[in-house]
Amino acid sequence: MQTDAIKIADTTANPAPLGLMAFGMTTVLLNLHNAGFIAMDTMILAMGIFYGGIAQIIAGIMEWKKDNTFGTIAFISYGFFWLTLVALIVMPKMNVGVAATDAHALGAYLALWGVFTAILFVPTLRISRALQVVFATLTVLFFMLAAAELTGNGTIATYAGYVGIICGLSAMYAAMAQVWNEVYKREVAPLGAI
């Protein structure tokens, strides 16, 4: 007996621009602080929780629905990165009986995120030049921040801030390019698809 398979068309929106913009804007703001332009304050922490954190997790869940393993892993992981980073900053100030993370432990935390990002960079070689820039600069950023923590060298952290601003702006570009290209139904902003 032959049965006809029913195919369901995916009509859901592309979640990648949301995840990339959430990551990009939050990264730019934190690295404006690292570069010495603005203070670390509630605005950066709120962005880390709600946009960099929660919005990226939502985008990652949406990528899972679209069967995109790379997008799922990237957005959910970096969403939780932002939440853990805010927790590392805020929890010791809340008098909940936990000590602040020392510089060497924070250096290890950042280095491990650098390793994770370097691993995720490899698949971008099959996706687009835009994502290669995002993940390459993010890898450099994490290792520079780790080096700054491990050595106590504030100059490295300042230069890392500039790398982070470039990284965040590149993610914002990748987000908007996808939106513009979809809206105009042609390549308005190149992503360097491979």
Side-chain angles (χ1 to χ4, degrees):
M1 180 170 159
Q2 183 180 11
T3 59
D4 293 326
I6 298 173
K7 292 194 176 194
I8 299 173
D10 179 4
T11 58
T12 58
N14 177 7
L18 169 63
L20 285 165
M21 190 60 75
F23 171 80
M25 287 178 62
T26 309
T27 299
V28 167
L29 287 174
L30 178 61
N31 285 285
L32 285 170
H33 161 71
N34 288 338
F37 294 112
I38 60 175
M40 172 64 76
D41 61 13
T42 306
M43 177 266 301
I44 294 173
L45 297 176
M47 282 289 284
I49 294 169
F50 297 103
Y51 202 39
I54 295 171
Q56 274 197 96
I57 293 167
I58 292 169
I61 293 167
M62 293 168 68
E63 289 284 12
W64 170 76
K65 284 288 285 176
K66 290 194 158 294
D67 197 26
N68 181 350
T69 302
F70 178 85
T72 301
I73 296 300
F75 291 135
I76 291 176
S77 295
Y78 292 118
F80 279 109
F81 160 78
W82 284 111
L83 294 178
T84 60
L85 182 64
V86 171
L88 288 171
I89 294 166
V90 173
M91 286 177 67
K93 298 176 195 268
M94 295 174 61
N95 296 321
V96 291
V98 295
T101 304
D102 69 39
H104 286 95
L106 189 56
Y109 166 86
L110 293 165
L112 194 57
W113 278 103
V115 170
F116 172 74
T117 304
I119 292 166
L120 278 184
F121 169 76
V122 175
T124 68
L125 299 173
R126 298 286 308 268
I127 301 172
S128 73
R129 299 284 183 236
L131 285 183
Q132 288 172 22
V133 171
V134 173
F135 280 84
T137 55
L138 184 57
T139 301
V140 171
L141 172 61
F142 275 127
F143 285 122
M144 287 181 76
L145 290 172
E149 291 295 330
L150 293 170
T151 64
N153 187 330
T155 303
I156 296 173
T158 300
Y159 285 119
Y162 291 104
V163 172
I165 292 167
I166 293 166
C167 175
L169 290 174
S170 68
M172 292 171 64
Y173 170 82
M176 289 316 305
Q178 289 182 49
V179 172
W180 294 335
N181 294 347
E182 180 182 316
V183 167
Y184 288 98
K185 310 251 186 287
R186 62 185 173 85
E187 188 178 74
V188 175
L191 288 163
I194 298 172

